[in-house]
Amino acid sequence: MDLQLRQYRDLLLKYLKPQWSLALFLLLLLLINMGLALLNPQMIRIFIDTISSGGAISTLISTALLFLVVAVLKQCVAVCEGYMAENLSQLATNHMRSELMLHCLQLDPAFHTSHTPGELIERIDGDVSTLGNFFSRFLVALFGNLLLILGVLILLYRIDWRVGLIVTTFCFICLIVLYRLRNLSANAWERERQASADLFGFIEERLAGTEDIRSSGGTLYMLRGLAEKTRQRVRMTQRAAIRSSVSWIIPPIFFAAGSAVALAMGVYLFREGSATLGTVYLIFGYTNLINDPLQEIVRQMRDLQQASGSIKRVLDLFKVHSTIQDGKQNLPDGPLSIVFDDVSFAYAQDVPVLKHISFSQPAGTVMGLLGRTGSGKSTITKLLTRLYDPQQGAIRVGSNDLCTLQLASLRSSIGMVTQDVQILHATVRDNLTLFDTNIPDGKIVQALEELGLAQWYESLPEGLDTVLAPGGSGLSAGEAQLISFARVFLKDPRIVILDEASSRLDPATERRLEHAVDRLMESRTGIIIAHRLATVLHADTILILEDGSRCEYGKREELARNPDSRFAHLLRTGLEEVMI
Ligand SMILES: Nc1ncnc2c1ncn2[C@@H]1O[C@H](COP(=O)(O)OP(=O)(O)OP(=O)(O)O)[C@@H](O)[C@H]1O
C-alpha cells in the first residue's frame, strides 16, 4: 500500500473508530437501498413478460403495487441514510476540528507569527469541512457500490455468461482508469485550499485593522488586494476543477460503450430465441443499474481528489510540533523564587536579544524591571512562562529547572497583565474568570470593587451576564487593562508579572490601583516592568537592562543609597533618560 493510501486509511480509522456503530448502521442502510434497487428490473421483467405472454391481470396489479412499495421504501431509506451520513460527518469532523484547534493552541509563538489567524481558521474549519464526505461516505459508498456492481454482474452471468463477461470487462477497465486517475488533481486542489486560506488571512487581517485602514484612507487599496486574492482563488479552483473533471468524464465514456455492446448481445439472444423480451429488458436494466454505482464511485474518487489537498494540509499541520517539551514535575507549595543563570536568548539566529542575564529573586519579593524600549524586558517574562526556551543558561522557579516543570502547572501559577489585553466576545463573568466556573460571583464582584470598577459594574445592563463586544470595542483601553488586573486577582497566582500594566491608566486611577497591587503582591513573587519610576518604588529589587545585557541588579534600597548606581542616577534625573 503506498504512503498516501496508508495515510487515508489511518485517518479514516482514527476518526471513524469512535463512531463505528453509526458507520455500520449507515452501511446497512446502503445495502438495503441497493437490494431494493436490484429488485426493480426484476419487477419490470415480470411486467413485460406477463403482458407479452397475455398473463393474468392480478399478476400485473400485484407487481405494480410491489413496485410502488419498493419505490416508497427506497426513498425512506435514502432519507435515513442522508441523516446518518450527515451525523457521522459532523461527529468525525468536529473531533478533528477540536484536535487541530488544541494542536494550534499548543504551537510556538513563532508559528503563530508566520501564520495569520484567518489562514488558521481556514485550515481548522475550511479544510476539515471538505473532509465531511470523506469520513461519512467514502468508505461506506465505495464498499457498498462495489458490492452492488458485484451483485449485478452475478445476475448478468446468470442470464447469459457472455453478457456477464462483456459488462465485467468494461467495469474492470473503468475501475482501473479511476484508480490510475485518483491523484490527477490532488496538487491542484491543495493549491486551491492554500489560495482560500490566503484569502481568509487577508480578510481577517484587514478587518482587524479596519480603524487604521479607514483613518489612513487605505480602503481602496485594501479592496484592490482583496480582488487580487479572490482572482487567485478563482484561478486555482478552475484549474483544479478542470483537472478533476478528466477523471470523471473518461470512465462513463468507457461504460457507455460497454452498455451498447451488452444491449447488442441481448438483441442477438432475443433474435436467436434464447431470451424473452423481458430478459432483454433485464439485461438493459441491469447494465444501466451498474451505471449508478459506477457514477457514485467516480463521484467519491472526485471528492477524494478534492479532499486529498485538505488531508495533506491537515496532516502537515499536525506534523508541526512545538519546540517546547513538557516537563513532569509539579511546582512546590508556597511562594516561588526565580533564578536566571547566565541566560542568553535570540528570536532569530545571530540577533541576540538577551545576553548572559543572571539574577536571583527570592520567593515572596518583587522585582522592578527597567530598561529602554527593545532592551528585552518582555522577553524575560516570555522565557519565564516558557513561550520560548533560552539557547544558553538555565532558569529556575522554586529551585526547579523550568524545563523539568509541567507546563500546565507552571503557567497556572503565573498571572500576567500586559499592555495588550485580549477581551473576548463573551460575558463579563467569562472574561474575568476565563471560563473557570469554580469562581463564585461574590468573589468576582469583590475583585471589581477593589480595583475601583464598582461603578462600571453597576452600569452593566445584565451584570456579570452582560456580553462584551468583540475585541473589547465597548471598553476604554484603561477599563480593559483593569479587567486584566481583575483576572489576575481571581486567578490567585503565585508569581505575578505586570508588564507596563498601568500604562493606559490615568494617574488618578493608577494611584487607586496602587493599593490593590500592593495587596496582590503580598507574599507573592512579582516582576513589575514599568515606564514610570513611581511604579517600581515599592519593589524589593531592581533589574536594569541595557541592550539585552544586565546593567544593574540589586536591592532597591541599597541601589537608591549608592550614589554611583544607575538606579540612584535615574532617581535623581527621572526615568525618561532610560526610556528614550
Ligand atoms: N516574536 C519576536 N520575534 C522576533 N523579534 C522579537 C520578537 N519579540 C520581540 N522581538 C525583538 O526583541 C527585542 C526585545 O523585545 P522586548 O519586547 O523584550 O523589549 P522590551 O524591553 O519589552 O520593549 P518595550 O519596552 O517596548 O515593551 C526587540 O528588538 C524586539 O524587536
Side-chain angles (χ1 to χ4, degrees):
M1 194 187 285
D2 70 17
L3 179 70
Q4 200 180 34
L5 287 181
R6 231 183 0 243
Q7 283 177 340
Y8 294 163
R9 183 202 59 190
D10 292 348
L11 210 64
L12 275 171
L13 284 181
K14 180 173 178 197
Y15 291 99
L16 282 189
K17 221 171 170 183
Q19 322 298 342
W20 67 269
S21 51
L22 196 57
L24 273 186
F25 190 52
L26 193 60
L27 182 64
L28 182 72
L29 289 176
L30 201 86
L31 292 179
I32 293 175
N33 213 356
M34 286 168 183
L36 294 174
L38 285 177
L39 274 180
N40 266 353
Q42 291 286 0
M43 288 183 288
I44 293 175
R45 180 189 64 88
I46 294 170
F47 215 80
I48 293 173
D49 284 349
T50 309
I51 291 171
S52 54
S53 64
I57 194 86
S58 59
T59 313
L60 290 178
I61 292 173
S62 54
T63 312
L65 281 177
L66 191 63
F67 189 82
L68 204 67
V69 170
V70 167
V72 172
L73 215 59
K74 221 169 154 290
Q75 291 312 312
C76 293
V77 174
V79 170
C80 283
E81 193 198 315
Y83 175 77
M84 290 293 170
E86 192 52 36
N87 227 353
L88 183 60
S89 145
Q90 292 294 335
L91 287 169
T93 51
N94 281 345
H95 182 183
M96 185 183 241
R97 266 186 209 100
S98 48
E99 284 201 342
L100 265 181
M101 178 78 184
L102 185 65
H103 179 73
C104 285
L105 287 176
Q106 288 166 343
L107 289 177
D108 295 346
F111 171 84
H112 288 281
T113 47
S114 56
H115 296 83
T116 60
E119 184 190 341
L120 291 181
I121 291 169
E122 183 57 356
R123 282 182 122 173
I124 293 170
D125 188 54
D127 283 343
V128 174
S129 295
T130 62
L131 300 185
N133 181 68
F134 175 65
F135 285 127
S136 63
R137 291 209 166 253
F138 179 70
L139 209 57
V140 171
L142 204 65
F143 179 71
N145 284 294
L146 283 174
L147 213 62
L148 179 62
I149 291 174
L150 195 69
V152 174
L153 288 178
I154 290 170
L155 290 172
L156 283 173
Y157 272 106
R158 285 190 55 191
I159 296 167
D160 188 283
W161 68 270
R162 286 162 295 182
V163 178
L165 190 64
I166 291 167
V167 181
T168 307
T169 310
F170 278 96
C171 275
F172 193 65
I173 294 172
C174 268
L175 292 175
I176 293 282
V177 171
L178 268 181
Y179 181 74
R180 295 253 158 199
L181 294 178
R182 74 189 193 283
N183 286 332
L184 193 68
S185 63
N187 286 342
W189 281 118
E190 192 189 340
R191 283 193 289 275
E192 187 273 342
R193 295 309 313 152
Q194 185 54 45
S196 185
D198 287 347
L199 174 65
F200 273 75
F202 182 90
I203 295 173
E204 176 274 333
E205 206 173 59
R206 299 321 185 265
L207 284 179
T210 179
E211 284 182 19
D212 286 346
I213 289 172
R214 271 192 310 201
S215 58
S216 61
T219 312
L220 284 179
Y221 168 77
M222 197 275 289
L223 284 180
R224 251 204 316 276
L226 182 73
E228 179 46 42
K229 293 277 177 204
T230 46
R231 254 200 308 275
Q232 176 73 357
R233 189 171 73 162
V234 169
R235 267 199 298 271
M236 291 300 156
T237 311
Q238 279 171 339
R239 249 176 240 173
I242 287 171
R243 294 203 92 182
S244 73
S245 65
V246 174
S247 55
W248 56 271
I249 286 171
I250 293 175
I253 294 174
F254 271 104
F255 185 72
S259 302
V261 177
L263 199 59
M265 192 69 195
V267 173
Y268 167 76
L269 291 175
F270 177 69
R271 289 220 173 135
E272 212 189 25
S274 49
T276 63
L277 200 57
T279 308
V280 176
Y281 174 78
L282 202 58
I283 293 171
F284 174 74
Y286 277 145
T287 316
N288 254 348
L289 195 60
I290 282 191
N291 197 32
D292 288 344
L294 260 184
Q295 287 293 349
E296 183 56 30
I297 291 173
V298 168
R299 201 166 29 244
Q300 290 304 324
M301 294 310 266
R302 200 179 57 199
D303 277 349
L304 179 67
Q305 290 197 20
Q306 198 165 352
S308 58
S310 298
I311 292 174
K312 186 168 178 308
R313 283 160 52 80
V314 165
L315 291 178
D316 282 351
L317 188 52
F318 273 130
K319 274 186 216 147
V320 182
H321 289 295
S322 171
T323 52
I324 308 287
Q325 298 293 319
D326 204 354
K328 290 198 166 53
Q329 273 179 292
N330 271 317
L331 276 169
D333 291 335
L336 300 164
S337 59
I338 301 172
V339 175
F340 270 54
D341 186 2
D342 194 26
V343 170
S344 295
F345 173 75
Y347 289 103
Q349 243 181 353
D350 304 329
V351 191
V353 171
L354 292 178
K355 298 169 220 164
H356 307 287
I357 299 291
S358 293
F359 65 84
S360 176
Q361 188 67 22
T365 61
V366 175
M367 177 172 88
L369 182 48
L370 304 171
R372 284 190 175 142
T373 288
S375 59
K377 303 182 296 294
S378 301
T379 304
I380 285 194
T381 66
K382 287 178 192 164
L383 295 184
L384 191 59
T385 46
R386 271 202 93 198
L387 290 178
Y388 300 90
D389 277 340
Q391 281 89 15
Q392 189 198 314
I395 302 172
R396 286 187 285 280
V397 170
S399 309
N400 294 285
D401 193 306
L402 220 52
C403 300
T404 65
L405 291 171
Q406 270 184 23
L407 280 173
S409 157
L410 173 74
R411 289 177 184 163
S412 65
S413 303
I414 299 179
M416 200 157 163
V417 183
T418 65
Q419 293 178 66
D420 182 23
V421 183
Q422 305 289 331
I423 298 292
L424 310 170
H425 180 40
T427 62
V428 171
R429 182 186 295 101
D430 289 341
N431 263 288
L432 291 167
T433 60
L434 291 177
F435 306 99
D436 181 351
T437 49
N438 293 320
I439 301 176
D441 284 359
K443 204 171 163 194
I444 301 175
V445 175
Q446 192 188 343
L448 291 177
E449 280 167 0
E450 275 187 48
L451 290 166
L453 282 170
Q455 218 177 346
W456 172 76
Y457 166 65
E458 273 152 26
S459 73
L460 294 172
E462 289 171 59
L464 293 178
D465 291 319
T466 309
V467 176
L468 292 179
S473 51
L475 299 172
S476 73
E479 281 168 344
Q481 219 159 28
L482 286 171
I483 285 188
S484 184
F485 263 106
R487 278 179 188 161
V488 176
F489 270 71
L490 292 168
K491 187 176 178 187
D492 195 14
R494 291 195 280 157
I495 295 177
V496 177
I497 299 171
L498 306 181
D499 188 350
E500 285 159 25
S502 52
S503 59
R504 299 190 178 187
L505 304 179
D506 59 63
T509 311
E510 195 181 357
R511 268 196 304 281
R512 218 172 48 228
L513 200 69
E514 229 169 65
H515 178 64
V517 170
D518 283 348
R519 261 193 4 90
L520 177 67
M521 292 296 189
E522 262 169 33
S523 67
R524 289 187 173 94
T525 314
I527 297 180
I528 300 180
I529 300 175
H531 273 150
R532 284 193 282 263
L533 259 189
T535 319
V536 295
L537 286 185
H538 295 282
D540 301 289
T541 60
I542 297 290
L543 171 65
I544 301 179
L545 292 183
E546 202 166 79
D547 196 20
S549 297
R550 183 181 115 167
C551 167
E552 191 166 86
Y553 177 67
K555 289 193 176 146
R556 178 182 54 82
E557 284 171 353
E558 284 174 14
L559 292 177
R561 271 200 303 271
N562 178 0
D564 297 330
S565 76
R566 187 68 191 269
F567 184 61
H569 180 69
L570 289 173
L571 287 175
R572 284 196 300 276
T573 57
L575 190 59
E576 279 67 26
E577 192 178 321
V578 275
M579 304 315 307
I580 298 164

